[in-house]
Amino acid sequence: MKENFEKLREQLGNATFENYVGLQDGYSEMAYQMVAHVLTLGYATMLAGLLYFVLTINWVAPKYRMSSILSGVVMVSAFLLLYVQSVNWETAFEFNTEEGRYFLAEGNRADLFNNGYRYLNWLIDVPMLLFQILFVITLTKSSMSSVRNQFWFSGAGMILTGYVGQYYEVTDLTNFAIWGAISTVFFFHILWLMRKVINEGKEGIPADAASTLDSIWWLFLIAWMLYPGAYLMPYMGGIGLDGAFFNETGVVARQITYTIADVASKVIYGVLLTVVAQKLSAAEGFDYVKNNS
Amino acid sequence: MKENFEKLREQLGNATFENYVGLQDGYSEMAYQMVAHVLTLGYATMLAGLLYFVLTINWVAPKYRMSSILSGVVMVSAFLLLYVQSVNWETAFEFNTEEGRYFLAEGNRADLFNNGYRYLNWLIDVPMLLFQILFVITLTKSSMSSVRNQFWFSGAGMILTGYVGQYYEVTDLTNFAIWGAISTVFFFHILWLMRKVINEGKEGIPADAASTLDSIWWLFLIAWMLYPGAYLMPYMGGIGLDGAFFNETGVVARQITYTIADVASKVIYGVLLTVVAQKLSAAEGFDYVKNNS
């Protein structure tokens, strides 16, 4: 691949590594289809999740319902943007009958493939997901408005710097690393703050609700750590064009990673918050099943 | 760029500066994608906002609910028109593998890019957004019907004259400036009237609700000022073809500006009006959380 790289770089400019692979080696049927399927699974999960969150709003006491509403907001925006991302994959590459592989499409309506749709989706989702937990837990020490503002500031900072960085993933490794590092600083601040919020939230609540909050912490930590992994995916198998992942394997691995992370950090996270809210509601005497029997 | 400009003008007629850039210099991958992402973010936010306004209607006392309904009306119309605007961007330009840039597409299904979709969207949104606040505040001096009629007259006047003006942004700077100036006169009337409405609305209401009304004034002022900025964007960096913004930078800056303005003036404005309505509802003894516990 090396000989042609400079020529490719001229042709594609700042394009993502999905496009370099699609122009140079192309994708096997299996690799191409796996990405198409996993992207479709992603947006279908979001629309299905929307139904769940809307239909279960009244299962929790009124003061917890904003959490379900914000999960719904996240589902709508994620559904639309993941749908567009999926269409982007399908229009960016086309099957070449001679070669038996998928290559970058040419001509009419052929955009290059770009993960930026995901990043700008997160600009809505990340502040909402972080805000959402503040409607379920009760802060014992911190001020609600201070935590919210810190979440929003670092959430937006993390996304915007990561968004800029991903444009350089093939063409400028220095910029890619610098923007990624700045984004990571914001990410660590969010992790630290979330740990604090969950610690405060566990105080004085029933043990089973506190235990679900602990599960939410581990889910949050693991799911959100997948995103920097996906950012670095082209170089996970070694820096450079000969790295084990700078090929269709890396592309498939990245989209699978993104989808697992999206389902975990948006849908499962929202469901677990609803579970905590149901336990707290019951402890406060609000029981949807009994009330409506 | 200058030599070809007269030829371009003949070819494109009244076309927008996005098309001139797309025909002459083309767009880099980064510039093209940033516009595609930000347009997608715009319509996704509107559909997510629709869900929020529908699900929170009952959180305020009945007399304030028309504000949420009108926010919903704005979300539906903005979602559809911004979606069409986004598709318009994707079909107007296509990637040229030789040059490594996006140029104006030719042939099948290639429309020129035009911001007019936005303007005609505002013909619905602007009267609704201005009308909406009159369901949350109580006018102490002015007559409701007089304020409403002035809002609608100047709102429609501002949009229609701006819509005509934007057709001349490249080909006829005199007409561009004259129609823009007339539009601005209507805009100043709206600003003056909104300030008056908010001043009256603050009288006799709880201090925290009055303070949120003040935030709405600043949000309104700043968000609505972004639109004339976007109108003038091709010439923000100097009048003429050599201006710092008569290129892809100006195009990206304009679509980012429009999107920030849309999210602020439609979604955040609506959310803040809901917050005021909740505070007023609580002061009047209507409390969603308590009522449903």
Side-chain angles (χ1 to χ4, degrees):
Chain A
M1 192 189 250
K2 251 177 195 164
E3 312 84 73
N4 298 309
F5 187 71
E6 283 309 317
K7 194 173 146 241
L8 282 173
R9 195 194 290 243
E10 271 174 40
Q11 283 177 297
L12 293 186
N14 282 98
T16 57
F17 100 101
E18 288 89 348
N19 297 309
Y20 284 89
V21 175
L23 192 65
Q24 181 74 3
D25 296 332
Y27 293 97
S28 68
E29 168 71 4
M30 190 165 169
Y32 176 83
Q33 295 290 357
M34 283 178 87
V35 172
H37 301 156
V38 88
L39 288 171
T40 308
L41 176 67
Y43 70 76
T45 308
M46 299 302 147
L47 202 63
L50 174 64
L51 187 81
Y52 176 85
F53 290 116
V54 168
L55 292 182
T56 55
I57 283 180
N58 292 335
W59 289 55
V60 298
K63 67 176 185 178
Y64 302 117
R65 290 181 190 167
M66 189 55 79
S67 169
S68 300
I69 293 174
L70 293 181
S71 272
V73 165
V74 167
M75 294 300 108
V76 171
S77 69
F79 165 73
L80 282 173
L81 283 134
L82 291 176
Y83 176 76
V84 173
Q85 183 83 83
S86 166
V87 171
N88 188 210
W89 177 258
E90 281 163 34
T91 53
F93 307 100
E94 62 189 11
F95 189 68
N96 181 313
T97 327
E98 296 298 310
E99 304 260 358
R101 295 174 73 82
Y102 290 80
F103 289 91
L104 206 61
E106 283 189 43
N108 196 27
R109 299 216 49 213
D111 293 353
L112 300 184
F113 182 79
N114 194 286
N115 289 298
Y117 294 104
R118 290 188 182 278
Y119 282 79
L120 288 210
N121 168 24
W122 300 330
L123 206 51
I124 304 175
D125 292 353
V126 162
M128 292 301 110
L129 291 168
L130 296 171
F131 191 28
Q132 176 177 5
I133 196 170
L134 302 179
F135 289 93
V136 175
I137 61 115
T138 305
L139 294 170
T140 50
K141 297 185 205 79
S142 314
S143 120
M144 160 88 169
S145 65
S146 159
V147 171
R148 180 197 62 202
N149 293 344
Q150 287 184 65
F151 269 155
W152 287 2
F153 177 79
S154 285
M158 175 178 77
I159 299 308
L160 288 173
T161 50
Y163 177 65
V164 174
Q166 59 100 23
Y167 276 105
Y168 299 110
E169 65 181 17
V170 178
T171 49
D172 184 346
L173 283 185
T174 310
N175 260 310
F176 178 64
I178 290 172
W179 287 104
I182 299 172
S183 182
T184 307
V185 173
F186 287 117
F187 178 46
F188 285 151
H189 176 234
I190 291 170
L191 283 181
W192 169 81
L193 197 58
M194 180 58 88
R195 179 70 256 187
K196 197 171 133 189
V197 162
I198 287 179
N199 280 346
E200 291 189 25
K202 281 165 62 186
E203 287 174 26
I205 66 168
D208 65 337
S211 140
T212 311
L213 271 185
D214 270 332
S215 309
I216 290 176
W217 164 251
W218 288 107
L219 174 83
F220 184 85
L221 184 66
I222 295 167
W224 286 52
M225 288 293 279
L226 294 176
Y227 291 105
Y231 183 89
L232 296 170
M233 192 64 80
Y235 304 107
M236 292 291 263
I239 307 290
L241 306 178
D242 299 326
F245 271 42
F246 201 95
N247 51 39
E248 65 177 32
T249 307
V251 172
V252 173
R254 171 140 94 177
Q255 297 303 325
I256 291 176
T257 305
Y258 273 141
T259 305
I260 294 172
D262 278 350
V263 172
S265 68
K266 295 174 170 75
V267 185
I268 302 177
Y269 171 79
V271 170
L272 288 182
L273 279 176
T274 309
V275 170
V276 174
Q278 271 183 287
K279 287 174 178 173
L280 295 176
S281 300
E284 291 156 15
F286 180 97
D287 187 321
Y288 175 79
V289 172
K290 278 191 197 144
N291 290 359
N292 291 279
S293 294
Chain B
M1 194 189 250
K2 252 178 195 163
E3 313 83 72
N4 299 309
F5 187 71
E6 284 308 320
K7 195 173 146 243
L8 282 172
R9 195 195 290 242
E10 271 173 42
Q11 283 178 296
L12 292 186
N14 283 98
T16 58
F17 100 102
E18 288 88 349
N19 297 310
Y20 283 89
V21 174
L23 192 65
Q24 184 72 3
D25 294 333
Y27 293 97
S28 69
E29 166 72 3
M30 191 165 172
Y32 175 82
Q33 295 287 359
M34 284 179 88
V35 173
H37 302 153
V38 87
L39 288 171
T40 310
L41 176 68
Y43 71 76
T45 308
M46 298 303 146
L47 203 63
L50 174 63
L51 187 82
Y52 176 87
F53 290 116
V54 168
L55 293 181
T56 55
I57 282 180
N58 292 336
W59 289 53
V60 298
K63 68 175 186 176
Y64 301 117
R65 289 180 193 167
M66 189 54 78
S67 169
S68 300
I69 294 173
L70 293 180
S71 272
V73 166
V74 168
M75 293 300 107
V76 170
S77 70
F79 166 72
L80 283 172
L81 282 133
L82 292 176
Y83 175 75
V84 173
Q85 182 84 83
S86 166
V87 172
N88 187 213
W89 176 259
E90 280 163 36
T91 52
F93 308 101
E94 64 187 12
F95 190 70
N96 181 313
T97 323
E98 294 299 309
E99 303 262 358
R101 296 175 74 82
Y102 290 80
F103 289 91
L104 205 60
E106 283 187 42
N108 197 27
R109 299 214 47 213
D111 293 351
L112 299 183
F113 182 77
N114 195 285
N115 289 298
Y117 296 103
R118 290 187 182 277
Y119 282 80
L120 289 208
N121 167 23
W122 300 331
L123 206 51
I124 305 175
D125 292 353
V126 162
M128 291 302 109
L129 291 168
L130 296 171
F131 192 28
Q132 178 178 3
I133 195 171
L134 302 178
F135 289 94
V136 175
I137 60 116
T138 305
L139 294 170
T140 51
K141 297 186 202 79
S142 312
S143 120
M144 162 86 169
S145 65
S146 159
V147 170
R148 181 198 60 204
N149 293 343
Q150 288 184 65
F151 268 156
W152 287 1
F153 178 79
S154 284
M158 175 178 78
I159 298 309
L160 289 172
T161 51
Y163 177 64
V164 174
Q166 60 100 23
Y167 275 105
Y168 299 112
E169 65 180 16
V170 178
T171 49
D172 184 345
L173 282 186
T174 311
N175 260 312
F176 178 64
I178 290 172
W179 287 104
I182 300 172
S183 181
T184 307
V185 173
F186 288 117
F187 177 47
F188 284 151
H189 176 234
I190 290 170
L191 283 182
W192 170 81
L193 197 58
M194 181 58 87
R195 179 69 256 189
K196 200 170 130 188
V197 162
I198 287 179
N199 280 346
E200 291 188 26
K202 281 165 61 185
E203 287 173 25
I205 66 169
D208 66 336
S211 141
T212 310
L213 272 184
D214 271 331
S215 307
I216 290 176
W217 164 251
W218 289 108
L219 174 82
F220 183 85
L221 184 67
I222 294 167
W224 287 51
M225 288 293 277
L226 293 175
Y227 291 104
Y231 182 87
L232 296 169
M233 192 64 80
Y235 304 108
M236 292 291 263
I239 309 291
L241 306 178
D242 299 326
F245 271 43
F246 201 96
N247 52 40
E248 65 177 31
T249 308
V251 172
V252 173
R254 172 140 94 177
Q255 297 304 325
I256 290 176
T257 304
Y258 273 141
T259 304
I260 293 173
D262 279 350
V263 172
S265 69
K266 295 174 171 73
V267 185
I268 302 178
Y269 171 78
V271 170
L272 287 182
L273 279 177
T274 310
V275 169
V276 174
Q278 269 183 286
K279 287 174 178 173
L280 295 176
S281 300
E284 292 155 14
F286 179 98
D287 187 320
Y288 173 80
V289 171
K290 277 193 198 142
N291 291 359
N292 292 279
S293 293

